[in-house]
Each structure stands twice: as structure tokens, then as C-alpha cells.
Amino acid sequence: MTAERINPPELSPPTGFSHAVVATGGRLVFLAGQTALDTDGKVVGATLPEQFETALGNLLTALHASGGTPADLARVTVYATDIADYRTHAAELGRVWRRLAGRDYPAMAVVEVVRLWDDRALVELDGFAVLP
């Protein structure tokens, strides 16, 4: 699979995402929404950064189990219950992303939601990847 990240100069410079990703060849993997659930099904972490790290780790675990790597991610959507809190912690969340997933950013969106399935969850991530 090849993933070409497109960031046109006519658009604002992307920070922590790509404007578009062109994926060629391979298998599609659709990744279900992941929150900060531990193996017992309980939400862990009291803060958004703590929950983001666990949720991203869960998403990447599902991706790895499917035979993929973070570089195979084509699209990720982040659902946050408090966008102001997300903005406040954006730099820290970016560091978590780079540590766990690297710098091959997928196309991304962050959406504020009223609540998630588990009312203790502060953030959820879903997405899809294209594998070779």
C-alpha cells in the first residue's frame, strides 16, 4: 500500500493531521470507536490526556491485530465531549500521538459530542486504514 499525504499550499498548514490521504492498493480495515476502556471494560483515566492515550492505544491494538501499523491509517475521527478541554491539551495530545503513532498523520477530524456510550468517557477515536 502506498499512502500519499496531500497538503496543498492553498490551505492552512496542517498541524497534527493531513488534509488528504490518497491510499493505493491493499485491504481496508475499518476500526471501531475506541474509548479508554481497560480489559475489564472499565473507563480508566480521569483526564482527557490520560483517556486519549488509552483510547489511541486501543485503536492501535485493533489495527496491529489486523496486520496494520500507524502509517497505514488513512482516516481518524476524534469525538470529544469538551472541545475547549481538547484545545487546552492539544500540544500534550499531539505528543501522545507522535509517541504512539509517529508522524505519518492520517486525515483527521475532531468533533464535539454531547456524550459517548459510556458516560465516563471523555474521548473516542475511530478510523480506517489501508493495508498492503
Side-chain angles (χ1 to χ4, degrees):
M1 190 260 335
T2 61
E4 179 185 3
R5 277 127 178 106
I6 308 293
N7 293 300
E10 298 86 6
L11 298 176
S12 65
T15 303
F17 69 96
S18 294
H19 284 290
V21 176
V22 177
T24 307
R27 299 178 309 142
L28 288 178
V29 177
F30 295 91
L31 299 160
Q34 298 293 325
T35 60
L37 293 179
D38 65 11
T39 56
D40 293 325
K42 294 184 173 33
V43 172
V44 295
T47 67
L48 177 64
E50 291 169 335
Q51 287 197 19
F52 182 86
E53 182 166 353
T54 301
L56 178 57
N58 289 344
L59 187 81
L60 295 176
T61 296
L63 177 60
H64 287 277
S66 302
T69 69
D72 298 322
L73 287 169
R75 173 85 173 146
V76 170
T77 303
V78 178
Y79 304 93
T81 59
D82 184 343
I83 205 76
D85 193 31
Y86 190 94
R87 285 177 175 261
T88 297
H89 291 96
E92 185 177 355
L93 300 176
R95 286 190 295 275
V96 169
W97 180 278
R98 287 187 298 280
R99 182 169 41 81
L100 298 181
R103 292 185 175 270
D104 291 323
Y105 298 112
M108 293 182 74
V110 178
V111 179
E112 185 174 46
V113 296
V114 173
R115 69 161 283 192
L116 297 164
W117 181 260
D118 188 313
D119 61 1
R120 293 173 295 148
L122 302 174
V123 65
E124 182 170 335
L125 291 83
D126 73 6
F128 70 88
V130 181
L131 308 186

